[in-house]
Amino acid sequence: MAWLCRISLGFSITGALKFLVLILGLLSLKKVECRKARILNTFEYSAISCRAHSASIEDFGGIGDGNTLNTKAFQEAVNHLSQYASDGGAQLVVPAGKWLTGTFNLTSHFTLFLHKDAVLLASQDINAWPVVDPLPSYGHGRDTAGGRYISLIFGTNLTDVVITGDNGTIDGQGALWWQQFHKKKLKYTRPYLIEIMHSDNIQISNLTLLNSPTWNIHPVYSSNILIQGITILAPVTSPNTDGINPDSCTNTRIEDSYIVSGDDCIAVKSGWDEYGIKYGMPTKQLLIRRLTCISPYSAAIALGSEMSGGIEDVRAQEITAINTESGVRIKTGVGRGGYVKDIYVKGMNLHTMKWVFWITGNYGSHADNHYDPHALPEIKGINYRDVVAENVSMAGRLEGISGDPFTGICISNATIGLAKKAKKYPWTCTDIEGITTGVVPPPCNLLPDQGLEKLGMCDFPSDSLAIDTIELQRCSYSMNSLM
C-alpha cells in the first residue's frame, strides 16, 4: 500500500478517501468479472451417459475462424479420444467459433458437444467428400443410381454416442448442393448432416441444423435412439431437406423439435421396393411428440414412401403444423410391398393446410425397373383422434389400391375448419375401410359414423415403449478440466 500512500500525499484527505473507494470498487469489479469467467467455463447438460475424459477441438489444432479446414483436427481428436472408450468414455468440446470441416467419423462411448456460439460449417469442396456404397435396403442412391457422399457427421457399428450442445449449430451450406442437384450435375447422392448406422444407444439433442444438402438426421439400422430439442431450418423450396428420418430403426423417441424444411419434417422409412423387402428390417416402436412443423409442400409426418421393410407401432402426439401440405401422410404404391400398421396419432393442431388426412396408394418413384408389381403393401390399423384444424383446403384424401384396400382406419373427435376457397368436396375416399366418430365435416361413406358415444375409440395403446422410460444423467464439466 506504499504506492497508495505516496499518491495520497498530493491530495486532500477527502480526495484520498475518494481515490481509495475508487480502487476498492475496481478491485471488486475485477473479482466479479473473474467469477463470471469461471461460471462461463462450466457447462451442464443431460445425456444418456456422462464422460470421464474431455478435450477441446483446439487441443488438436482446430481453428474456428470460418476459413481454416478442420477435418484433420476433428478426425484426429475422435481417434485420440477413442482410447478412453473402456475408461469412462470421452467428450470432444467445440468452443465458440466457426469451424469449417469436411466429414468425420465418430466412435463409441463418445460425446460431441457444441458451445452455443459454435458453428460447424460443412465444406463446399464436393470433390473432397468420400463416396460410400448405397444402403443395402435401397439398392442405389436417391439422387443418382450410384453411391452416395458420406454424411458430414457419420458413425457405424457404434454404441453409446451423444451429439449435443447448448444449441450449437451445424450448417450444411447446402445451396451449392441444391444447385448441382437441380442442374443434374451430381455424380452421387447428396450427403446428410448426421447419419448413424448399425448402432445402439444414440442421443442427438439441443442443436440447430441449417441448410442440409438433403436429409438432416438419418438414424438407420439402429436401436434405442433419443432425438430431442432439435431445431432444423432450410428454405421451404430446398430439395429433399427432410428433417428427421428414422429408417429401419427400433425403439426411437423424437420430441420437442421445431422444423422448417423443403420436404417432410419427419419421414419414417424402412427400405425401397425389392431391396427393402429383401433386407426386411422394419421401423417399429417409434414415439414422436411435441413437434412443430412448417413445410408448405410436404407432410408434418410421413410414413414412407420407402416402407418396404415395414412400419409398425408408431405413436405421435401433440403435433403442430402451420402452412404445411398435410398432417400425417402415408405414402406407398404397387411394388413397395411391406406394411404400415398400428399407427396412433393423438392431438394434432393444424393451421393452413392442404389436407389433414392423406393416404396415398399410387406413389411412384421406384428404385429401378426390377420391382415386383405383385408386391402390394398392407395398410391397416391407422388411428387418429383429437384433431383441430383451420383454414384447410380439403379434410381428407384417402386412396387405397384397387384389390388391396387399406383397412382399419379410425378417426375420432376431429374438427376441421375449411378455408374460404376450399375444395367443393371435403373428402375423397377410394379402396379404404374404416370408421369415424365426432368428425366435422362429415366424412365419406366408406368411413361410417359410429355415434358420439364412441368418442373414446382410436386411442393410444395403454402400454409404454421402452424408449419412453430411459433416464438421462446430469453431466457437468469445467473447461479447466479439458486435456
Side-chain angles (χ1 to χ4, degrees), residues 56 95 97 125 162 183 249 311 334 341 368:
S56 167
D125 182 0
V162 178
K183 293 178 180 179
C249 289
I311 297 172
V334 172
K341 62 183 181 180
D368 52 38

Side-chain angles (χ1 to χ4, degrees), residues 316-319 344-348 383-386 459-460:
Q317 61 185 130
E318 297 180 61
I319 308 300
Y344 304 91
V345 181
K346 181 178 181 179
M348 287 200 297
N383 301 273
Y384 308 91
R385 63 166 296 144
D386 303 338
D459 207 358
F460 263 41

Side-chain angles (χ1 to χ4, degrees), residues 151-168:
S151 299
L152 179 65
I153 300 174
F154 180 76
T156 186
N157 296 297
L158 304 180
T159 186
D160 182 22
V161 173
V162 178
I163 306 170
T164 190
D166 187 15
N167 202 33

Side-chain angles (χ1 to χ4, degrees), residues 43 45 74 121 226 357 385 468:
F43 54 96
Y45 60 90
F74 274 103
L121 294 173
L226 175 61
F357 308 104
R385 63 166 296 144
D468 202 23

Side-chain angles (χ1 to χ4, degrees), residues 338-407:
Y339 54 85
V340 177
K341 62 183 181 180
D342 302 331
I343 310 301
Y344 304 91
V345 181
K346 181 178 181 179
M348 287 200 297
N349 196 333
L350 312 175
H351 308 265
T352 310
M353 311 289 291
K354 193 170 184 179
W355 294 285
V356 173
F357 308 104
W358 192 10
I359 300 178
T360 308
N362 59 356
Y363 203 86
S365 182
H366 294 287
D368 52 38
N369 293 325
H370 303 301
Y371 67 91
D372 180 2
H374 301 292
L376 301 179
E378 180 185 29
I379 311 299
K380 67 177 184 179
I382 314 300
N383 301 273
Y384 308 91
R385 63 166 296 144
D386 303 338
V387 178
V388 176
E390 62 181 17
N391 198 29
V392 173
S393 298
M394 191 171 182
R397 179 180 171 185
L398 310 178
E399 302 166 329
I401 298 173
S402 179
D404 179 33
F406 299 168
T407 64

Side-chain angles (χ1 to χ4, degrees), residues 31 110 113 170 184 319 328 382 394 408 427 439 458 483:
K31 185 176 180 182
F110 176 81
F113 181 92
I170 302 173
K184 302 186 184 303
I319 308 300
V328 177
I382 314 300
M394 191 171 182
W427 297 84
V439 177
C458 321
M483 297 187 304

